[in-house]
Amino acid sequence: HDNQGDTWVARRTVDGAGEISLLERSPFDQWIQSVYFIMTVFTTVGFGDMSAMTNGEIVYVCFTMLVGAVVHSLIVGEVICTLTSNDEKRLFVQDKKELVEAFAQHMELSDGAAAEMSSWVSMNARLWMSKKYNRDEMKELIVGRYLPRAMLANLPLQLFQGKLCQNRLFTCC
């Protein structure tokens, strides 16, 4: 501006009587007032105690409003993404636990083996989620590709309440 008296900084008074201009204050006070102005624009609060009057101020405020809308949208988007991701992980873990429970019931696993498998799947499902683990991989997990060796070795003894290993067809082979 050619004349500083035309700016919002000059029009802004910082005392109760309305006599001391912001131009007469320290650079720190001017900075604080500027941050206050930017925050009222970015948050769309707009208390009305400061407003743009010259063309330059209006252009600046319009630009600031656009930037504020973009920044606000990015922040809200990230919050929504985080909340959705947490809910998606919870649902994924629940889905995998239900799959293991159905498998354990169908194969008549003992309660202890079913609980051990369910616990192991619950602990590892978040890792699978980050690697986009799917049902085909879960099938591979159940047939032994990812299960710990000790659990895998114990699994045949637990199938159908141990009756599978007691079957004469399997004991003679």
Side-chain angles (χ1 to χ4, degrees):
H1 290 284
D2 294 332
N3 182 4
Q4 284 186 339
D6 291 340
T7 66
W8 73 270
V9 177
R11 289 190 307 273
R12 177 83 173 155
T13 57
V14 290
D15 65 331
E19 297 175 3
I20 300 175
S21 168
L22 184 55
L23 280 176
E24 299 171 19
R25 301 300 295 253
S26 70
F28 179 75
D29 289 341
Q30 292 177 9
W31 183 82
I32 291 291
Q33 294 289 323
S34 297
V35 169
Y36 168 74
F37 175 73
I38 293 295
M39 292 303 293
T40 60
V41 171
F42 266 25
T43 60
T44 68
V45 171
F47 291 118
D49 57 345
M50 288 186 214
S51 60
M53 293 188 167
T54 67
N55 287 340
E57 290 174 348
I58 291 171
V59 168
Y60 174 77
V61 170
C62 288
F63 175 75
T64 304
M65 287 177 186
L66 286 173
V67 170
V70 170
V71 169
H72 185 263
S73 299
L74 290 172
I75 291 170
V76 169
E78 283 299 313
V79 168
I80 290 171
C81 184
T82 300
L83 294 175
T84 303
S85 175
N86 286 339
D87 193 42
E88 188 176 319
K89 285 179 184 176
R90 184 186 58 77
L91 290 174
F92 180 82
V93 170
Q94 181 180 344
D95 183 50
K96 297 307 169 204
K97 283 180 69 173
E98 288 172 2
L99 182 63
V100 167
E101 288 170 10
F103 171 77
Q105 184 179 8
H106 177 74
M107 300 305 282
E108 297 180 17
L109 289 178
S110 69
D111 291 342
E116 181 182 8
M117 190 179 224
S118 180
S119 174
W120 185 82
V121 166
S122 294
M123 288 176 22
N124 289 284
R126 290 191 186 280
L127 175 63
W128 302 332
M129 177 71 180
S130 65
K131 293 182 178 181
K132 301 298 180 200
Y133 199 79
N134 62 31
R135 287 189 183 267
D136 291 333
E137 290 177 271
M138 186 65 182
K139 182 178 178 182
E140 291 176 27
L141 168 97
I142 289 173
V143 296
R145 183 173 174 187
Y146 295 107
L147 287 176
R149 294 281 181 210
M151 189 183 300
L152 185 59
N154 191 33
L155 194 57
L157 300 173
Q158 302 299 323
L159 293 175
F160 301 107
Q161 300 292 329
K163 293 175 187 170
L164 185 64
C165 287
Q166 296 170 3
N167 188 308
R168 289 188 329 172
L169 175 68
F170 293 109
T171 56
C172 68
C173 297

